[in-house]
């Protein structure tokens, strides 16, 4: 088969994916950008003409604080999920073959329950009369006057619980394909357990870790259900502000302007991970070319 036919076949295979991205990502994103530069309609729509008023409204002192809270809650959730997912995936990959499927099933089981049900379950557990509060008070960890709900800590806890499977699955997929004999070889050459884990295992599953970062970070950046249910007014994220501007204030241009900030917050880590993956590919390709 000629190179031209191979290129045409590859293009035909990727066209559906490009069409999907164009219809469900590029076009909606362009519409959001366009709406952000239109004036607000008194009846909740979009008025005629073009204006920068919605972008000026982002200068409100409350928005920088919400942006910062969204960023650090998202990053903290991602870091905690990855720190919990890496040893979990390592143990699952090292488990006997007959135990791997049951362990994987335990990770997937939470998806059988509605996301809202899980969040409301946490609201019940963290309630002042809930089981968690009673246990912590009995152990003397918190005072009876302490509040576990309606704060950033509750948002972080519930976000980690709901998004942890999204970190475990891609890391486990990479860990399962990892050649465990490399760790044994490193141990035979004098490396300690932690050294072999850090210098051999982690680089070997780096692609899975990067995918886990994206799968956790991007949904948390746009989260609004968790802060709305278990967070208070001081725990609002950008997703909550977008929902308020759309459904309460009915100010679509301002919602579009806030969405632009959120889109940029999503695209920046995505581009960073793609650039990192491209860099990790280059040395291997260069070494392959240099081999006789």
């Amino acid at each position: 088969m000629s190179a031209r036919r191979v290129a045409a076949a590859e293009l035909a295979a990727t066209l559906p994916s490009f069409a999907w991205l164009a219809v469900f990502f590029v076009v909606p994103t362009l519409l959001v950008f366009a709406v952000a530069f239109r004036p607000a309609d008194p009846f909740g729509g979009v008025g005629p003409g073009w204006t920068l008023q919605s972008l000026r409204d982002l200068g409100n002192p409350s928005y920088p604080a919400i942006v910062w809270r969204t960023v650090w809650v998202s990053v903290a959730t991602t870091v905690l999920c990855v720190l919990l997912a890496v040893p979990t995936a390592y143990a699952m990959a090292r488990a006997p073959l007959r135990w791997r499927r049951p362990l994987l099933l335990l990770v997937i089981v939470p998806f059988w329950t509605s996301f809202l049900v899980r969040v409301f379950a946490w609201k019940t557990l963290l309630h002042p009369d809930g089981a968690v509060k009673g246990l912590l008070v009995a152990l003397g960890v918190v005072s009876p006057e302490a509040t576990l709900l309606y704060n950033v800590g509750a948002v972080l806890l519930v976000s980690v619980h709901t998004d942890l499977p999204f970190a475990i699955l891609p890391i486990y997929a990479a860990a399962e394909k990892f050649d465990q004999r490399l760790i044994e070889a490193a141990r035979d050459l004098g490396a300690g357990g932690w050294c072999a884990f850090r210098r051999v295992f982690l680089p070997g599953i780096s692609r899975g870790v990067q995918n886990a970062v994206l799968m956790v970070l991007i949904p948390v950046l746009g989260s609004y259900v968790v802060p709305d249910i278990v967070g208070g007014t001081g725990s609002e994220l950008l997703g909550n502000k977008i929902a308020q501007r759309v459904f309460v204030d009915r100010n679509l241009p301002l919602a579009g302007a806030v969405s632009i900030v959120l889109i940029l917050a999503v695209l920046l880590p995505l581009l960073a991970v793609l650039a990192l993956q491209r860099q990790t590919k280059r040395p291997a390709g260069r070494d392959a070319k240099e081999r006789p």
Side-chain angles (χ1 to χ4, degrees):
M1 184 180 291
S2 63
R4 183 174 298 179
R5 289 185 178 180
V6 172
E10 292 178 352
L11 180 61
T14 55
L15 277 179
S17 300
F18 282 119
W20 178 275
L21 288 174
V23 173
F24 294 102
F25 180 75
V26 177
V27 173
T29 301
L30 293 177
L31 290 176
V32 169
F33 271 78
V35 168
F37 292 96
R38 303 293 293 274
D41 186 89
F43 301 100
V46 178
W50 303 92
T51 180
L52 297 176
Q53 185 58 41
S54 297
L55 298 180
R56 296 192 189 99
D57 291 339
L58 293 180
N60 188 307
S62 64
Y63 282 109
I66 294 173
V67 171
W68 167 243
R69 187 184 305 122
T70 301
V71 170
W72 84 257
V73 167
S74 302
V75 172
T77 301
T78 304
V79 171
L80 289 174
C81 285
V82 171
L83 289 178
L84 293 172
V86 169
T88 302
Y90 176 78
M92 292 171 61
R94 300 271 295 184
L97 189 60
R98 67 178 183 276
W99 288 106
R100 291 183 189 177
R101 287 188 178 181
L103 292 174
L104 184 60
L105 183 63
L106 291 177
V107 176
I108 300 175
V109 160
F111 292 113
W112 296 359
T113 306
S114 170
F115 173 76
L116 286 176
V117 171
R118 282 180 281 154
V119 177
F120 273 107
W122 271 110
K123 184 176 182 179
T124 303
L125 290 173
L126 298 176
H127 192 270
D129 298 326
V132 175
K133 174 69 177 296
L135 178 62
L136 294 178
V137 171
L139 295 175
V141 178
V142 299
S143 64
E145 295 79 17
T147 302
L148 302 182
L149 268 179
Y150 309 123
N151 52 54
V152 179
V155 174
L156 186 61
L157 173 63
V158 178
S159 298
V160 170
H161 173 260
T162 55
D163 291 306
L164 183 57
F166 294 105
I168 295 176
L169 292 176
I171 295 178
Y172 170 71
E176 189 181 28
K177 298 176 183 178
F178 179 78
D179 190 354
Q180 301 293 338
R181 293 175 299 179
L182 295 175
I183 296 180
E184 303 299 332
R187 298 291 298 271
D188 292 339
L189 292 174
W194 169 244
C195 182
F197 180 84
R198 179 172 52 90
R199 301 288 296 273
V200 178
F201 180 72
L202 289 182
I205 63 166
S206 60
R207 183 62 60 87
V209 173
Q210 293 168 12
N211 292 335
V213 168
L214 290 180
M215 293 187 68
V216 175
L217 180 61
I218 293 177
V220 178
L221 282 170
S223 174
Y224 74 94
V225 174
V226 173
D228 189 57
I229 295 177
V230 301
T233 55
S235 306
E236 291 180 330
L237 305 183
L238 281 177
N240 299 104
K241 285 301 178 183
I242 295 173
Q244 291 173 9
R245 298 298 171 261
V246 173
F247 299 111
V248 179
D249 301 340
R250 297 189 63 81
N251 190 335
L252 295 183
L254 184 54
V258 180
S259 299
I260 290 176
V261 177
L262 187 57
I263 290 171
L264 293 177
V266 170
L267 288 178
L268 289 178
L270 178 61
L271 294 176
V273 170
L274 291 177
L276 182 61
Q277 291 181 350
R278 188 174 180 180
Q279 274 188 347
T280 56
K281 280 184 178 181
R282 284 182 179 177
R286 188 175 301 170
D287 293 342
K289 290 180 180 179
E290 292 176 355
R291 291 175 185 173

